[in-house]
């Protein structure tokens, strides 16, 4: 299956006194794990001739550094990628590892982080899921609980909302579903990491909302990582990973080091028949 995806995202520097260039870090490239699936070039282009360059962060994500000049800047990308066309892999027999048997590099995904307050939700997690069979079944129970507990709505979004906030308010967007499920998994000693990327309406009825990027999460069971999605609570087809980390802090689409307004945000993800 071929998927054509990309975006057009525009920013303008803003300041109470005067507009000035704003440095920015963007995670708007696909993750290196998907590079071999590309069927066309993947390049970020800009509406104005400004320098930009990439580096790899500590989680293996591709980060782009660019400065938004006076008058604003549009970042664009359009590419075609090959996908298996299969839904998220299901492995109901995947076991939960004792903490002392986990690989060293996985331990960081058991710790609390900026948006995942394990200390505040530990008692809740154990009261809800302590009696559920460890492993896949326990994660599935956490996903189902999170899916049912939070009401989805873009008007519920705010950048400061944490897993605790989402649990208390019972409202949020896809990143809030992911943060709450990740936190509950970590409370139960299941390593979990935050993921963001493209997820089009492939194999499901089209949404009435404008296309957006999506957030989901991975858990470490049976010696490997598995994909779960608390917002949709079902296996989906056509995920294109962009970035992952402990939470949305590590995988933010853009981080501005100054004041800038988002003027345009258009994302496309569509199945296509040919590379043309």
């Amino acid at each position: 299956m071929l998927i054509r995806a990309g975006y057009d995202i525009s920013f303008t520097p803003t300041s109470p006194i005067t507009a000035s260039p704003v440095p920015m870090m963007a995670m708007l490239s696909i993750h290196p794990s998907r590079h071999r699936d590309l069927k066309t070039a993947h390049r970020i282009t800009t509406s104005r001739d400004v320098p930009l360059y990439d580096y790899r962060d500590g989680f293996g994500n591709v980060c782009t550094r660019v400065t938004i000049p006076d008058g604003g800047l549009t970042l664009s990308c359009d590419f075609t990628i090959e996908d298996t066309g299969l839904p998220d892999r299901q492995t109901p027999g995947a076991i939960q590892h004792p903490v002392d048997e986990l690989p060293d590099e996985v331990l960081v995904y058991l710790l609390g982080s900026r948006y995942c307050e394990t200390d505040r939700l530990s008692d809740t997690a154990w009261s809800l899921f302590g009696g559920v069979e460890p492993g896949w079944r326990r994660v599935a129970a956490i996903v189902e609980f999170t899916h049912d507990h939070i009401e989805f709505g873009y008007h519920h979004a705010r950048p400061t909302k944490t897993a605790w906030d989402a649990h208390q308010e019972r409202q949020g967007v896809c990143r809030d579903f992911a943060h709450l499920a990740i936190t509950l998994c970590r409370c139960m000693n299941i390593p979990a990491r935050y993921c963001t990327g493209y997820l089009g309406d492939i194999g499901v009825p089209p949404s009435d909302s404008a296309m957006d990027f999506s957030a989901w999460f991975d858990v470490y069971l049976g010696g490997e990582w598995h994909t779960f999605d608390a917002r949709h609570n079902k296996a989906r087809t056509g995920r294109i990973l962009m970035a992952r980390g402990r939470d949305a802090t590590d995988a933010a689409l853009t981080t501005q080091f100054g004041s800038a307004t988002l003027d345009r945000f258009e994302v496309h993800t569509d199945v296509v028949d040919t590379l043309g």
Side-chain angles (χ1 to χ4, degrees), residues 38-43 77-80:
L38 285 167
K39 294 303 175 185
T40 63
H42 179 291
R43 298 188 185 93
C77 190
D78 184 79
F79 63 94
T80 300

mmCIF file of all heavy atoms in Angstrom, residues 38-43 77-80:
data_model
loop_
_atom_site.group_PDB
_atom_site.id
_atom_site.type_symbol
_atom_site.label_atom_id
_atom_site.label_comp_id
_atom_site.label_asym_id
_atom_site.label_seq_id
_atom_site.Cartn_x
_atom_site.Cartn_y
_atom_site.Cartn_z
ATOM 1 N N LEU A 38 10.437 4.723 2.212
ATOM 2 C CA LEU A 38 10.151 5.870 1.351
ATOM 3 C C LEU A 38 10.250 5.495 -0.122
ATOM 4 O O LEU A 38 11.176 4.800 -0.547
ATOM 5 C CB LEU A 38 11.117 7.010 1.649
ATOM 6 C CG LEU A 38 10.862 7.792 2.932
ATOM 7 C CD1 LEU A 38 12.054 8.675 3.273
ATOM 8 C CD2 LEU A 38 9.593 8.637 2.802
ATOM 9 N N LYS A 39 9.282 5.974 -0.907
ATOM 10 C CA LYS A 39 9.272 5.751 -2.346
ATOM 11 C C LYS A 39 9.541 7.038 -3.123
ATOM 12 O O LYS A 39 9.767 7.001 -4.333
ATOM 13 C CB LYS A 39 7.932 5.151 -2.772
ATOM 14 C CG LYS A 39 7.710 3.744 -2.207
ATOM 15 C CD LYS A 39 8.833 2.800 -2.618
ATOM 16 C CE LYS A 39 8.717 1.439 -1.995
ATOM 17 N NZ LYS A 39 9.869 0.569 -2.311
ATOM 18 N N THR A 40 9.484 8.166 -2.447
ATOM 19 C CA THR A 40 9.893 9.445 -3.022
ATOM 20 C C THR A 40 10.757 10.148 -1.989
ATOM 21 O O THR A 40 10.821 9.737 -0.825
ATOM 22 C CB THR A 40 8.692 10.338 -3.381
ATOM 23 O OG1 THR A 40 7.982 10.669 -2.182
ATOM 24 C CG2 THR A 40 7.747 9.646 -4.353
ATOM 25 N N ALA A 41 11.402 11.224 -2.400
ATOM 26 C CA ALA A 41 12.256 11.969 -1.475
ATOM 27 C C ALA A 41 11.427 12.583 -0.355
ATOM 28 O O ALA A 41 10.280 12.999 -0.558
ATOM 29 C CB ALA A 41 13.002 13.065 -2.232
ATOM 30 N N HIS A 42 12.011 12.611 0.825
ATOM 31 C CA HIS A 42 11.389 13.273 1.974
ATOM 32 C C HIS A 42 12.252 14.480 2.321
ATOM 33 O O HIS A 42 13.367 14.340 2.830
ATOM 34 C CB HIS A 42 11.306 12.306 3.155
ATOM 35 C CG HIS A 42 10.703 12.906 4.394
ATOM 36 N ND1 HIS A 42 11.323 13.889 5.139
ATOM 37 C CD2 HIS A 42 9.518 12.671 5.008
ATOM 38 C CE1 HIS A 42 10.560 14.215 6.152
ATOM 39 N NE2 HIS A 42 9.464 13.497 6.101
ATOM 40 N N ARG A 43 11.762 15.671 2.021
ATOM 41 C CA ARG A 43 12.509 16.897 2.298
ATOM 42 C C ARG A 43 11.575 17.942 2.885
ATOM 43 O O ARG A 43 10.447 18.102 2.418
ATOM 44 C CB ARG A 43 13.138 17.471 1.028
ATOM 45 C CG ARG A 43 14.153 16.578 0.345
ATOM 46 C CD ARG A 43 14.848 17.327 -0.789
ATOM 47 N NE ARG A 43 15.751 16.446 -1.542
ATOM 48 C CZ ARG A 43 15.418 15.789 -2.630
ATOM 49 N NH1 ARG A 43 14.181 15.925 -3.113
ATOM 50 N NH2 ARG A 43 16.279 15.014 -3.255
ATOM 51 N N CYS A 77 6.152 19.740 3.406
ATOM 52 C CA CYS A 77 6.720 18.441 3.069
ATOM 53 C C CYS A 77 5.655 17.636 2.330
ATOM 54 O O CYS A 77 4.451 17.777 2.606
ATOM 55 C CB CYS A 77 7.163 17.707 4.337
ATOM 56 S SG CYS A 77 8.128 16.207 4.028
ATOM 57 N N ASP A 78 6.084 16.818 1.390
ATOM 58 C CA ASP A 78 5.168 15.951 0.663
ATOM 59 C C ASP A 78 5.969 14.742 0.191
ATOM 60 O O ASP A 78 6.995 14.892 -0.469
ATOM 61 C CB ASP A 78 4.554 16.690 -0.537
ATOM 62 C CG ASP A 78 3.527 15.834 -1.252
ATOM 63 O OD1 ASP A 78 2.393 15.743 -0.768
ATOM 64 O OD2 ASP A 78 3.884 15.243 -2.302
ATOM 65 N N PHE A 79 5.526 13.554 0.546
ATOM 66 C CA PHE A 79 6.272 12.352 0.208
ATOM 67 C C PHE A 79 5.317 11.174 0.067
ATOM 68 O O PHE A 79 4.160 11.225 0.502
ATOM 69 C CB PHE A 79 7.313 12.040 1.293
ATOM 70 C CG PHE A 79 6.711 11.743 2.643
ATOM 71 C CD1 PHE A 79 6.435 10.438 3.039
ATOM 72 C CD2 PHE A 79 6.418 12.775 3.523
ATOM 73 C CE1 PHE A 79 5.872 10.160 4.275
ATOM 74 C CE2 PHE A 79 5.853 12.506 4.772
ATOM 75 C CZ PHE A 79 5.578 11.199 5.142
ATOM 76 N N THR A 80 5.810 10.115 -0.545
ATOM 77 C CA THR A 80 5.054 8.871 -0.654
ATOM 78 C C THR A 80 5.851 7.764 0.004
ATOM 79 O O THR A 80 7.063 7.647 -0.211
ATOM 80 C CB THR A 80 4.773 8.526 -2.128
ATOM 81 O OG1 THR A 80 4.019 9.587 -2.732
ATOM 82 C CG2 THR A 80 3.963 7.232 -2.223
#
